[in-house]
Amino acid sequence: MNLLDFVASFPDEESCKQKFKEYRETVGVICSKCKHTEHYWKADKEQYECKNCSFRTTLKSGTVMHKSKLPYRYWFIAMHLLTSTKKSFSAKEIQRQIGHNRYQPIWHMVHKLRVVMGKRDGEYILAGQIELDDGFFSTVKPEESKDKKLKRGRGSQKRTKVLVMAESHKVVSVKKGQKPRRVGYLKMQIIEDLKKETINQIVKDLVSEKSSLDTDGSTSYVELSDYVNEHHSEVISKEKVCEILPWVHMTISNAKRQLLNTFHSVKPEFLQSYLDEFCYKFNRRYFGEAIFNRLLVAAVSYKNEFRYV
Ligand SMILES: [Zn+2]
């Protein structure tokens, strides 16, 4: 959706609220008290009333806007900005675009949207042929643990480990300029360490047991064949990486570049949510304008659980 279409579709608070309500009802309102799914709409109070137990649910409760005081239109603008470009927007930039005087509520809003992106993708289990590798992302050390010896300026840097998995099918006859593998769904998950138990658990949780994994020869991966149908591991030279694990490496470097360009420095506790946004958009790269509506579905489907003071 381009900017003109967005403004025409959502010219005011009411139009955003109506769209939000429409999507909420399509997904379905569930009574948090008795789990009943049929409700009356009380227009004067802007609440749903359960047909079974009369419990009232506000339009925002149980969604990404749970307890939010910000106007619907702010949320819609943020969703539009986040989905209208391949790149990302910082909360600071979204605050400027909206023209709100306080930064904190906008920052919270944007993070909440990233959390629902992560939740939506969290429901997907990777399958088929999969590339798997780990990468390091530069994050900023918290103030108190900064080592004085580390470089000043951009803040002391720490390396946060991330496990990256991409569905990636080998192309049978590769044409000129074409990649040797075609990519499907992508996942990036922060990991505490590279112990094999840690990696095993993630593969168990996020990858179908029928799939086939390709990795390098790292000792972190030695037990993966217990969790999937096939595991090919080999020592990969630098020159061969782009051939054997092309998509994990390309997405790691694209994500790093995007984080650096948009946020300059990232705290380790927020890296997952930036990666979730990156993967969410990568996984919907062919959706075109529909990605805004998809994010709206996620926004009405998941209750905000982002807490940070
Ligand atoms: Zn009820």
Side-chain angles (χ1 to χ4, degrees):
M1 188 161 34
N2 68 34
L3 190 53
L4 289 177
D5 293 338
F6 177 80
V7 175
S9 305
F10 305 108
D12 52 22
E13 179 68 357
E14 191 55 32
S15 51
C16 298
K17 193 191 290 178
Q18 283 313 318
K19 191 71 172 179
F20 189 78
K21 182 170 175 285
E22 179 194 318
Y23 269 68
R24 174 130 209 218
E25 287 166 16
T26 306
V27 169
V29 181
I30 300 168
C31 173
S32 60
K33 215 171 167 193
C34 77
K35 307 289 171 222
H36 197 69
T37 53
E38 286 178 28
H39 292 78
Y40 302 106
W41 173 245
K42 300 274 178 188
D44 53 334
K45 296 200 167 53
E46 297 195 341
Q47 289 179 338
Y48 294 99
E49 187 180 286
C50 175
K51 284 189 180 177
N52 180 48
C53 75
S54 301
F55 185 77
R56 299 258 178 100
T57 304
T58 67
L59 186 52
K60 286 180 179 173
S61 73
T63 74
V64 72
M65 297 188 197
H66 193 82
K67 292 197 169 156
S68 167
K69 292 191 183 74
L70 295 178
Y72 288 89
R73 202 161 184 235
Y74 281 21
W75 287 91
F76 273 58
I77 293 169
M79 286 191 281
H80 173 66
L81 291 177
L82 289 178
T83 56
S84 62
T85 158
K86 261 193 194 174
K87 296 183 178 150
S88 186
F89 275 89
S90 64
K92 198 83 204 157
E93 186 55 40
I94 291 178
Q95 182 198 10
R96 261 195 294 273
Q97 297 286 338
I98 289 175
H100 191 66
N101 53 9
R102 289 184 57 222
Y103 173 66
Q104 208 63 14
I106 304 296
W107 182 85
H108 272 249
M109 171 176 72
V110 180
H111 265 291
K112 286 169 189 173
L113 287 170
R114 294 192 178 111
V115 170
V116 297
M117 291 181 188
K119 285 195 177 198
R120 177 51 103 202
D121 272 356
E123 292 186 11
Y124 189 85
I125 299 296
L126 299 180
Q129 200 166 15
I130 296 164
E131 296 175 33
L132 180 147
D133 206 353
D134 50 79
F136 292 91
F137 282 73
S138 288
T139 49
V140 181
K141 277 196 168 183
E143 225 32 72
E144 62 270 23
S145 68
K146 272 185 188 171
D147 184 339
K148 288 195 182 77
K149 281 182 203 152
L150 288 170
K151 63 175 176 181
R152 302 239 172 208
R154 285 202 306 141
S156 307
Q157 302 290 299
K158 172 185 150 108
R159 279 146 59 90
T160 300
K161 298 171 202 75
V162 175
L163 193 69
V164 181
M165 293 156 280
E167 290 175 342
S168 157
H169 304 274
K170 281 189 181 134
V171 177
V172 183
S173 53
V174 183
K175 294 192 186 92
K176 210 180 165 196
Q178 202 183 28
K179 292 214 168 31
R181 301 178 72 138
R182 185 170 295 135
V183 69
Y185 225 77
L186 172 74
K187 280 186 192 282
M188 295 186 172
Q189 178 70 48
I190 291 183
I191 43 177
E192 279 301 309
D193 52 56
L194 290 170
K195 288 182 188 151
K196 53 184 189 293
E197 294 79 12
T198 308
I199 312 290
N200 293 347
Q201 189 59 46
I202 293 185
V203 167
K204 212 173 139 192
D205 291 344
L206 305 180
V207 174
S208 158
E209 54 190 18
K210 290 183 190 142
S211 50
S212 150
L213 283 181
D214 293 322
T215 68
D216 66 24
S218 159
T219 52
S220 306
Y221 306 145
V222 290
E223 289 175 357
L224 289 181
S225 58
D226 294 348
Y227 302 94
V228 290
N229 189 33
E230 278 178 82
H231 174 213
H232 309 112
S233 79
E234 60 180 290
V235 177
I236 305 172
S237 64
K238 265 195 171 163
E239 300 74 46
K240 281 269 188 180
V241 159
C242 294
E243 199 182 302
I244 299 170
L245 301 171
W247 287 104
V248 286
H249 285 269
M250 176 176 293
T251 52
I252 289 172
S253 71
N254 287 352
K256 280 183 183 175
R257 196 168 52 233
Q258 185 173 307
L259 287 176
L260 198 64
N261 288 341
T262 313
F263 306 106
H264 310 295
S265 64
V266 170
K267 288 186 182 162
E269 60 267 44
F270 303 125
L271 178 62
Q272 185 63 55
S273 111
Y274 296 127
L275 297 176
D276 286 347
E277 180 192 345
F278 180 85
C279 290
Y280 184 90
K281 285 157 78 166
F282 182 88
N283 292 336
R284 287 157 190 78
R285 62 202 173 278
Y286 301 124
F287 279 40
E289 296 181 1
I291 187 169
F292 175 85
N293 293 343
R294 303 315 299 168
L295 182 55
L296 192 49
V297 170
V300 300
S301 303
Y302 301 99
K303 183 177 171 180
N304 152 49
E305 278 159 6
F306 179 75
R307 297 273 175 275
Y308 193 81
V309 186

